[in-house]
Amino acid sequence: MRRSILVVAMVAALGGSAAAQQAGAQPATPRAEPPHAWVFGSWTGGIFPPGETSGPRCTGQPSVIFTRDVVLRASIFDVAYRQRLIETVAASPNALEFRFVPAAGGGNALASRMPADVGFGCPGGPNSLIVERRGENEIAFPNCAEFPSPLTRCVGN
């Protein structure tokens, strides 16, 4: 009796596994890459001239990190990164224009609690950032007071 129960359980498990594999074997519809996919990853420099671009010194303490939905920036006066949620991204051949979800303003009670360096010191204000591509692994934030130097991509070990 035990043996037949074990066999039935194994057959059910294998059958379920095969069905799952067949369902998973169908090609998923590819998701279009966002316009800022080329900038994803960790970047060093910006606040200071770029230093090492590989190894733990770069990847362990990057100046800026770009992801699909968030841009994180280092702060000189705090350990925590400033996180900005991306609202929109407009792309041109050698630049990106980010618009962030507003950090403060309009009578927002949190406005007085926002750190002064929540933005990038750019002319468009704290809720915008223009990223200029200067090479395959180099970008700059033109006219942004808090990031006067170019940034270089941190590469793997």
Side-chain angles (χ1 to χ4, degrees):
M1 178 77 171
R2 282 186 172 175
R3 184 178 256 177
S4 62
I5 292 173
L6 181 60
V7 170
V8 169
M10 288 177 62
V11 169
L14 290 174
S17 176
Q21 287 177 354
Q22 287 176 353
Q26 297 173 354
T29 52
R31 273 178 73 172
E33 289 292 327
H36 62 296
W38 63 265
V39 81
F40 287 172
S42 301
W43 297 80
T44 188
I47 300 170
F48 47 85
E52 293 182 37
T53 59
S54 64
R57 290 194 70 156
C58 188
T59 57
Q61 201 171 25
S63 301
V64 179
I65 302 169
F66 290 92
T67 70
R68 179 180 293 274
D69 302 318
V70 178
V71 177
L72 296 94
R73 65 152 291 187
S75 171
I76 295 175
F77 302 112
D78 197 357
V79 176
Y81 280 86
R82 306 294 185 236
Q83 299 182 30
R84 298 307 312 271
L85 186 62
I86 298 170
E87 188 172 70
T88 62
V89 180
S92 63
N94 288 316
L96 298 168
E97 183 177 352
F98 288 86
R99 300 303 273 158
F100 300 114
V101 173
N108 186 341
L110 295 176
S112 62
R113 294 184 179 178
M114 297 306 293
D117 62 353
V118 72
F120 293 81
C122 303
N127 299 322
S128 70
L129 173 66
I130 293 177
V131 178
E132 180 182 276
R133 186 188 305 200
R134 293 199 172 164
E136 185 176 333
N137 290 315
E138 184 175 287
I139 59 174
F141 302 159
N143 303 315
C144 295
E146 294 182 32
F147 285 81
S149 297
L151 294 99
T152 306
R153 184 184 303 273
C154 293
V155 294
N157 295 337

